[in-house]
Amino acid sequence: MNAKLFDTSLPRGVADYLPASATRLSLLEQQVLQVATSWGFQQILPPALEFEDVLAMGMGDGLRARTFRFDDWQSGRLLAIPPDITPQIARIVATRLKGQLLPYRISYAGRVLRHAELQSGRNREIMQAGVELIGLDSPEADAEMVAMAVEVMTAASLRDFKVDLGQVAFCQGVFEASGLQGEPLRLIRQAVALKDVSSVEMLLRCYPVPEASRRELLALPRLFGGCEVLEEAARIVQNQRSKAALLNIKDVVAILGLHGVSECLTIDLGETRGLDYHTGLTFEGFVPGIGEAVFSGGRYDDLIGRYGFDAPATGFTCNLFSLMQALELQGTRQHEQRDLLVFNGADDRSEALELSRELRQRGYAVARDIIKRDLDASLCYAAEAGIRAVLVIGNNQDTRSTYQLIQATDRAEQGITREQLWQLFPSRS
């Protein structure tokens, strides 16, 4: 087949990630999991396929509509590629971990697929890494999730991020107190989500509600900003559910102060994201210039019960693609350079193999330059491939030294003995 006539393009919403980007994504994943490990979480690996009806038990209508499905020739049932990992965690907790002592501290990483509108420009493939804390129903557990997410962002060297805190029970209390249902409620929720006060006013003229509810609904789109929003909300809301939710988010904010996480917080009590999924505190991390959240999470006490095991839960997940994009926008390019390229100028390769093996055993990333080319070409290759230095064997005219160590970027060169080599590259283990 003529390659020029063959279409090798990818479907919209997916991409190839070449070594530089793949390395950054891998480092970000490791950082999330390392932070999770330091907080006492253990990783699990959910499958890449599930039966659609089982997976759907843990998804709302929104996610279910965006799920990739296909027939399973072996079982005759419908299979699905998970659009989110949290429902899988819920199933595993309810069916595989049930009976073990609570709480469960679980971390995970993986790729998910979601349908996306062609015009949206959004990725259909998302690389996630996150944690779930199962079995604790307390503001301290919610605060732990936010503090961990902030620690992940700090570990990744992300700057100028903000964490928007919401409380879905606060919104639900306002909507329930209004008595609105069906289409009127849908329109009001939509206007609140868009922070469209004028539309809320217009809708309330068409669908009258009690005066106390009217004040609450009109306030919702405006209740965002700093922590002073909490005091403003306390003066406005009258319904008991919203009052209880307000006390909850105040407790979380107070505990986050003890964690040293206050400066990056903003409050958005009119946030309607996750009303059909979350049950309490929600949070999202945003960076200027990036349209999607770099992380998101919240409390979802009803989800695991759908699989037969009632347990409160909270967690968060990082969108590693968005996080990488944010870091690149800020000029922070995470990369993991390989340490050495071994250039053998002698015919005998035994010493080059011996040194390479010993350096790897000491914890260094070492490649051998097997291709026959001159030293200058190998230095160019090392610089382009992200290798720090070239170790030259059997090509040294300086009889006082055994090897040459040449930095790939600036070509700085030094002659070293074998003893000096081990001093420069001590064991990392």
Side-chain angles (χ1 to χ4, degrees), residues 282-324:
T282 62
F283 58 94
E284 291 184 294
F286 291 100
V287 180
I290 302 296
E292 294 188 70
V294 293
F295 64 84
S296 61
R299 178 159 292 279
Y300 54 97
D301 289 343
D302 299 333
L303 177 58
I304 299 173
R306 300 176 191 176
Y307 291 99
F309 176 49
D310 288 321
T314 183
F316 74 91
T317 186
C318 294
N319 183 329
L320 299 184
F321 296 152
S322 293
L323 181 53
M324 180 177 70

Side-chain angles (χ1 to χ4, degrees), residues 143-166:
E144 182 171 306
M145 295 297 95
V146 178
M148 284 182 63
V150 170
E151 187 171 319
V152 168
M153 298 304 106
T154 303
S157 301
L158 188 67
R159 307 184 307 274
D160 303 327
F161 62 90
K162 290 293 183 183
V163 183
D164 285 353
L165 300 182

Side-chain angles (χ1 to χ4, degrees), residues 35 60 84 92 101 171 177 179 183 221 246 250-251 279 292 299 382 393 396-397:
V35 169
D84 187 47
I92 292 169
L101 292 177
C171 286
E183 184 66 5
L246 199 56
K250 284 182 177 180
D251 287 343
T279 58
E292 294 188 70
R299 178 159 292 279
I393 299 172
N396 194 357
Q397 303 302 317

Side-chain angles (χ1 to χ4, degrees), residues 9-39:
S9 61
L10 292 172
R12 286 192 184 186
V14 299
D16 294 317
Y17 291 92
L18 301 183
S21 294
T23 298
R24 292 179 199 128
L25 288 167
S26 178
L27 283 172
L28 290 172
E29 178 183 301
Q30 291 170 29
Q31 286 169 339
V32 176
L33 296 176
Q34 284 169 2
V35 169
T37 299
S38 72
W39 285 70

Side-chain angles (χ1 to χ4, degrees), residues 224-293:
F224 65 92
C227 290
E228 69 280 356
V229 166
L230 300 175
E231 300 307 320
E232 183 182 352
R235 292 192 296 269
I236 295 170
V237 295
Q238 300 295 314
N239 74 84
Q240 293 306 309
R241 186 172 187 183
S242 294
K243 285 184 176 181
L246 199 56
L247 290 175
N248 170 260
I249 196 170
K250 284 182 177 180
D251 287 343
V252 172
V253 169
I255 297 169
L256 286 172
L258 299 177
H259 279 289
V261 178
S262 294
E263 292 185 0
C264 62
L265 299 181
T266 59
I267 308 294
D268 188 354
L269 294 176
E271 174 57 64
T272 61
R273 179 190 66 86
L275 278 179
D276 300 322
Y277 175 79
H278 289 101
T279 58
L281 185 92
T282 62
F283 58 94
E284 291 184 294
F286 291 100
V287 180
I290 302 296
E292 294 188 70

Side-chain angles (χ1 to χ4, degrees), residues 83-367:
D84 187 47
I85 295 177
T86 300
Q88 295 185 278
I89 303 297
R91 175 190 58 76
I92 292 169
V93 165
T95 59
R96 305 295 301 277
L97 298 179
K98 184 178 179 181
Q100 297 185 21
L101 292 177
L102 294 170
Y104 308 141
R105 286 183 161 89
I106 296 169
S107 62
Y108 60 85
R111 294 190 182 197
V112 299
L113 281 176
R114 299 176 184 173
H115 283 293
E117 295 181 9
L118 288 177
Q119 316 307 334
S120 69
R122 293 192 172 189
N123 289 334
R124 290 197 278 184
E125 184 179 43
I126 301 171
M127 190 169 178
Q128 295 182 331
V131 301
E132 311 294 345
L133 178 51
I134 315 295
L136 293 177
D137 180 12
S138 70
E140 189 162 359
D142 294 321
E144 182 171 306
M145 295 297 95
V146 178
M148 284 182 63
V150 170
E151 187 171 319
V152 168
M153 298 304 106
T154 303
S157 301
L158 188 67
R159 307 184 307 274
D160 303 327
F161 62 90
K162 290 293 183 183
V163 183
D164 285 353
L165 300 182
Q167 229 293 356
V168 296
F170 182 90
C171 286
Q172 287 167 335
V174 171
F175 292 139
E176 287 172 0
S178 73
L180 294 172
Q181 295 180 348
E183 184 66 5
L185 178 59
R186 187 191 70 80
L187 293 172
I188 287 282
R189 283 176 53 167
Q190 185 179 63
V192 169
L194 295 172
K195 304 288 188 282
D196 189 347
V197 179
S198 61
S199 291
V200 174
E201 290 176 336
M202 182 189 69
L203 288 166
L204 290 178
R205 286 196 293 269
C206 298
Y207 308 107
V209 298
E211 184 57 32
S213 292
R214 176 183 171 82
R215 287 196 299 271
E216 291 177 350
L217 287 167
L218 286 172
L220 269 186
R222 298 190 179 99
L223 291 177
F224 65 92
C227 290
E228 69 280 356
V229 166
L230 300 175
E231 300 307 320
E232 183 182 352
R235 292 192 296 269
I236 295 170
V237 295
Q238 300 295 314
N239 74 84
Q240 293 306 309
R241 186 172 187 183
S242 294
K243 285 184 176 181
L246 199 56
L247 290 175
N248 170 260
I249 196 170
K250 284 182 177 180
D251 287 343
V252 172
V253 169
I255 297 169
L256 286 172
L258 299 177
H259 279 289
V261 178
S262 294
E263 292 185 0
C264 62
L265 299 181
T266 59
I267 308 294
D268 188 354
L269 294 176
E271 174 57 64
T272 61
R273 179 190 66 86
L275 278 179
D276 300 322
Y277 175 79
H278 289 101
T279 58
L281 185 92
T282 62
F283 58 94
E284 291 184 294
F286 291 100
V287 180
I290 302 296
E292 294 188 70
V294 293
F295 64 84
S296 61
R299 178 159 292 279
Y300 54 97
D301 289 343
D302 299 333
L303 177 58
I304 299 173
R306 300 176 191 176
Y307 291 99
F309 176 49
D310 288 321
T314 183
F316 74 91
T317 186
C318 294
N319 183 329
L320 299 184
F321 296 152
S322 293
L323 181 53
M324 180 177 70
Q325 185 182 1
L327 288 166
E328 291 176 346
L329 185 66
Q330 293 183 353
T332 304
R333 289 183 169 269
Q334 292 199 336
H335 56 87
E336 185 177 55
Q337 285 189 316
R338 288 169 288 172
D339 296 297
L340 285 172
L341 178 69
V342 174
F343 178 92
N344 188 19
D347 292 333
D348 185 355
R349 64 174 66 90
S350 59
E351 186 175 17
L353 291 171
E354 176 197 344
L355 288 176
S356 298
R357 183 170 59 251
E358 174 65 20
L359 285 162
R360 292 189 193 104
Q361 289 172 351
R362 287 174 174 243
Y364 296 91
V366 180

